[in-house]
Amino acid sequence: MQNTPIVAFDQVNKSFGNFVAVENVSFEIGRGEFLAIMGSSGCGKTTTLRMLAGLEAPSQGRILLDGEEVGDKPTWSRDTPMVWQSLALFPFLTVQENVEFGLKMRKVPRKERIERARKWLDRLGILEFADRNIAQLSGGQRQRVALARSLVTEPKILLLDEPLSALDAHLKVRMQSVLSNLQKDLGITFVYVTHSMSEAFSMADRVIIMSRGKVEQIGTPEEIFHHPTNRFVAEFLGSSNIFTGVISSVNGDTLSVRTKEGVFEIRNQKKLEKQAGDSISFTVRSEQLKLDLEDSKPLLNSIVATVVGEEFSGAMANIFLETADGLELQVQKPHEEIRKLGVRHNRNVVAYFDPDQCHILSEG
Ligand code: ATP
């Protein structure tokens, strides 16, 4: 049993009437893994989580928990508690009573209930609020009560649906480290739904990116960030420098690609099967795109574009460019470098890149 994944989705579909909310989704989650499901609003992430919790039944396919198909198994017998954005705490019960609730439902004797609830309140640093009403707590304290209430039954897996989205930025970052440390200490599997890349990438061991009911990519944050498989994932992660064209020649690992913006040389580092005549898309990360002024000497892989916007955050500047054909590019450079170069709004500049600093999208 130890090597069986704790969760397996096998070609799962979920339709609401004629609308397909989740389509042919398959993935596995390892024991003790922190998995984030990420995607924009309406992509099917909550429906996926709700099927795991038993709050929705799949229309087709199988869901296995600990190797056992759960099909119609009711929520209460699945041992998959869920923490919601709204928290769904009982306002008429005290903190302690909220945390004890799940144990009471399981008929755990009173003395043991109290001890276990206090242990989790203590562990989450909120024991001093045990007798307060929920209304007398801050957002972060309520968050901890919701976690204590789910963890008190000592489940093997905890489902979290956008649990931090109602918190302010500072508290969000603090709670991210609380969750991350808790998950590592307890060794419980966490399945965490979010639309926030920073939450998913800072906490999860692996991330699933969904769009329109389908899985677009599954991988570690590093794999997804550096090697998005397709245009959707690249754009979702904020990469705006995506070039599309046709391969005009292949010379070893070097591909010549004809695009609307010109002919570029790129290195096929992953040695993907590519030949002349194939369509291809590739990205260049904004920090790897270089900038020069238009009147400088000709450069390899260069594109003339106009500066249409600037954004400064701390020591870094994001420069937004647009080519005559309407391709939008983004360059990220230290503020100082931009100042020295004399980059100004409406000025024409040359953006260029090294053949080694491209990433070919494997799915066009
Ligand atoms: P969000 O981030 O906005 O919560 P999500 O990715 O979690 O989005 P889901 O809640 O899984 O999205 O919904 C996926 C799609 O299924 C949406 O288009 C939604 O309108 C639809 N949907 C969800 N539940 C139902 C339902 N009970 N009846 C009909 N359609 C539904």
Side-chain angles (χ1 to χ4, degrees), residues 275-292:
Q275 50 195 16
D278 286 352
S279 296
I280 189 168
S281 294
F282 62 93
T283 63
V284 183
R285 295 208 61 81
S286 59
E287 65 277 14
Q288 290 175 331
L289 206 53
K290 294 173 219 162
L291 267 192
D292 214 329

Side-chain angles (χ1 to χ4, degrees), residues 16 19 21 40-47 162:
F16 296 105
F19 180 75
S40 43
S41 184
C43 72
K45 38 192 200 306
T46 297
T47 305
E162 304 253 14

Side-chain angles (χ1 to χ4, degrees), residues 83-96:
V83 178
W84 314 84
Q85 178 190 339
S86 64
L87 305 181
L89 295 168
F90 300 119
F92 48 88
L93 299 181
T94 64
V95 167
Q96 167 95 25

